Amino acid sequence: MIEIREVKTKKERKEFVEFPLNLYKGNEYFVPPLYGDEMSIFKPDYVYYEQADAVYFNAYRDGKIVGRISGILQRAANKKWNQKQIRFTRFDAIDDQEVANALFEAVENWGRSKGMEEIVGPLGFSDLEREGLLIAGFDQMNTFEEQYNYPYYQKLIENCGYGKDVDWVEHQLRVPEGGFDPKYRKIGDMMLQKYNLHFGEAKNTREFINKYAEDIFKIWDETYDKIYGTVPFTDKLKKSIVAQFKLLINKKYIRVLFDEHGTIVAFGFLFPSISDAVRPSGGRLTLPCIIRILKAIRHPKVLDLAIIGVIDSYKNKALSASMLAELGEAMIRDGIDHCETNLNLEHNIPIQNAWKYFDAYQNKRRRCFIKKL
């Protein structure tokens, strides 16, 4: 018999956070989130609780935890998209349909009690959190920004009555053998000259954040306003993002484009991959883990594509040629093995077409599911 408990006690919170660490122990593709970040979701002042409600459940059999799930009522998202949805996230379980049934029944009943009509997921509080169930690419190292799961998760979820809502694809990018076709650099330079644009500079990460953060958030909001699952930024969320990005940013992999008036029109940045750095400690920021992270940031072998933003008036003007030429040259200069794109919506053809500059192949696919309540 499966017992479902809403997470309330310190012990239950610890079990909730540590369950996937134990479930994936020894798995060479699983990359944990930072342990402290996961524990922070239980704090009353957690950054998203000003725009969302959440519930957390553990599943037990004979007193032993065998699964977990969280439900989110994202009020800002429902208002933006005119929906009555809850989201499920942080679903992990052993390969047992009875466990999955009990967990999803608990979160669905919670959603009904809130007057909601649909449940979707895996989706976090925003698109900045890990989202989507891995359905292809199980033999690929996960990026730090996304979640790995076993293949049987899809069966468990579909057997609970869920169907596809949307898919994301991920690509691995490598510099073509022999280097980039010079025409791409030429196209990029032509676009800069035509629109009188130039790349901005900053001496260090602190200066970059102080100079550009607020303008970047404006472009970010504008660029991704209509993208699936997005929610508006709050001031508190902006501060949280800046604090997190400070840990991961290397100024060498940031590009900001300005017009002749000094206004930002586009930006792009990548994170040095810290996947290998956080795995040995289970995401805990031990001293050895911090040393590994700093080394990975300063001398990366792999880059994770974080975000590219372009203001509406400069879309479809081939600015991607300039941005990607800069990226490619940085990869060559620093001996980067490859870049991981993270999630692109399957129907976002313009961004997928941009990968033609590289030797690219699709290495992962993720899915968001939906069910009527």
Side-chain angles (χ1 to χ4, degrees):
M1 181 177 177
I2 304 302
E3 177 191 3
I4 300 295
R5 298 181 203 161
E6 183 176 347
V7 175
K8 296 288 189 181
T9 68
K10 182 177 179 180
K11 179 176 182 291
E12 290 165 347
R13 292 193 291 269
K14 188 172 183 287
E15 289 174 327
F16 183 93
V17 170
E18 294 184 359
F19 177 73
L21 302 181
N22 295 322
L23 186 65
Y24 290 93
K25 188 173 183 179
N27 185 290
E28 61 183 309
Y29 308 117
F30 173 77
V31 178
L34 293 182
Y35 189 89
D37 286 350
E38 286 298 279
M39 290 302 295
S40 70
I41 63 177
F42 299 110
K43 296 180 179 179
D45 62 348
Y46 183 55
V47 64
Y48 284 107
Y49 289 156
E50 62 183 4
Q51 59 179 197
D53 300 323
V55 67
Y56 305 92
F57 295 108
N58 287 338
Y60 300 86
R61 176 181 282 143
D62 299 326
K64 180 182 178 181
I65 185 169
V66 288
R68 68 169 196 169
I69 198 169
S70 173
I72 297 172
L73 173 52
Q74 197 5 306
R75 298 186 301 273
N78 281 346
K79 181 178 180 181
K80 175 180 178 178
W81 300 102
N82 192 28
Q83 296 168 329
K84 289 187 176 181
Q85 290 185 341
I86 62 164
R87 303 175 171 195
F88 76 84
T89 185
R90 293 174 172 84
F91 167 67
D92 291 287
I94 62 172
D95 188 4
D96 188 307
Q97 194 63 53
E98 184 182 13
V99 174
N101 291 347
L103 286 167
F104 277 99
E105 181 181 15
V107 79
E108 289 165 14
N109 286 339
W110 179 78
R112 292 187 188 98
S113 74
K114 299 289 185 179
M116 298 297 103
E117 299 173 352
E118 292 178 321
I119 178 170
V120 294
L123 283 177
F125 289 94
S126 78
D127 64 318
L128 299 176
E129 288 206 316
R130 296 179 171 198
E131 57 188 358
L133 188 85
L134 189 68
I135 62 171
F138 299 104
D139 61 347
Q140 299 287 305
M141 167 73 80
N142 221 62
T143 64
F144 173 71
E145 296 81 14
E146 301 303 334
Q147 179 70 23
Y148 184 83
N149 57 263
Y150 288 125
Y152 66 77
Y153 278 37
Q154 183 176 358
K155 171 198 66 178
L156 295 180
I157 292 173
E158 290 176 344
N159 285 346
C160 288
Y162 289 77
K164 174 185 173 180
D165 196 21
V166 70
D167 277 8
W168 295 271
V169 293
E170 299 177 56
H171 291 78
Q172 194 172 96
L173 311 179
R174 281 185 162 82
V175 175
E177 187 174 348
F180 286 93
D181 189 327
K183 71 179 181 182
Y184 295 135
R185 177 82 263 184
K186 184 177 180 181
I187 292 171
D189 291 341
M190 287 173 58
M191 291 302 102
L192 296 184
Q193 184 176 1
K194 180 178 180 179
Y195 298 110
N196 200 12
L197 305 177
H198 63 278
F199 286 99
E201 296 290 338
K203 295 178 182 178
N204 51 52
T205 300
R206 181 185 296 276
E207 182 182 357
F208 171 82
I209 291 173
N210 291 339
K211 288 177 68 173
Y212 305 136
E214 194 58 41
D215 288 335
I216 283 176
F217 277 119
K218 291 178 183 178
I219 298 174
W220 192 341
D221 246 342
E222 183 177 313
T223 303
Y224 293 88
D225 180 55
K226 304 302 181 184
I227 297 296
Y228 182 92
T230 55
V231 298
F233 289 116
T234 64
D235 289 340
K236 189 175 181 180
L237 181 54
K238 289 177 184 178
K239 292 179 181 178
S240 175
I241 293 170
V242 168
Q244 292 174 4
F245 281 15
K246 281 181 179 179
L247 174 67
L248 300 175
I249 282 178
N250 183 324
K251 186 178 69 69
K252 293 192 297 183
Y253 308 114
I254 299 168
R255 295 294 183 269
V256 182
L257 269 177
F258 292 86
D259 66 13
E260 59 186 322
H261 306 295
T263 301
I264 297 179
V265 300
F267 70 91
F269 53 92
L270 302 97
F271 293 145
S273 173
I274 62 169
S275 293
D276 283 328
V278 301
R279 292 179 70 236
S281 67
R284 293 172 173 85
L285 286 178
T286 61
L287 181 57
C289 178
I290 292 172
I291 292 172
R292 289 192 299 269
I293 289 174
L294 292 175
K295 182 178 179 180
I297 291 172
R298 291 168 182 166
H299 306 288
K301 297 299 182 183
V302 177
L303 297 175
D304 295 342
L305 183 59
I307 190 168
I308 296 176
V310 181
I311 64 173
D312 287 345
S313 58
Y314 278 87
K315 287 181 178 177
N316 304 315
K317 297 187 185 299
L319 295 190
S320 60
S322 299
M323 303 293 283
L324 293 173
E326 289 279 315
L327 164 60
E329 290 174 2
M331 291 176 68
I332 294 172
R333 179 194 67 222
D334 296 338
I336 302 299
D337 182 75
H338 67 273
C339 174
E340 296 279 348
T341 67
N342 280 315
L343 275 61
N344 306 143
L345 284 165
E346 60 180 342
H347 56 260
N348 189 345
I349 303 304
I351 190 63
Q352 293 179 56
N353 283 341
W355 309 145
K356 66 185 179 184
Y357 299 105
F358 299 84
D359 280 341
Y361 78 96
Q362 182 187 317
N363 63 337
K364 298 171 194 168
R365 178 177 286 266
R366 296 180 185 275
R367 178 163 297 171
C368 185
F369 295 86
I370 188 168
K371 179 182 178 179
K372 296 288 184 182
L373 292 177

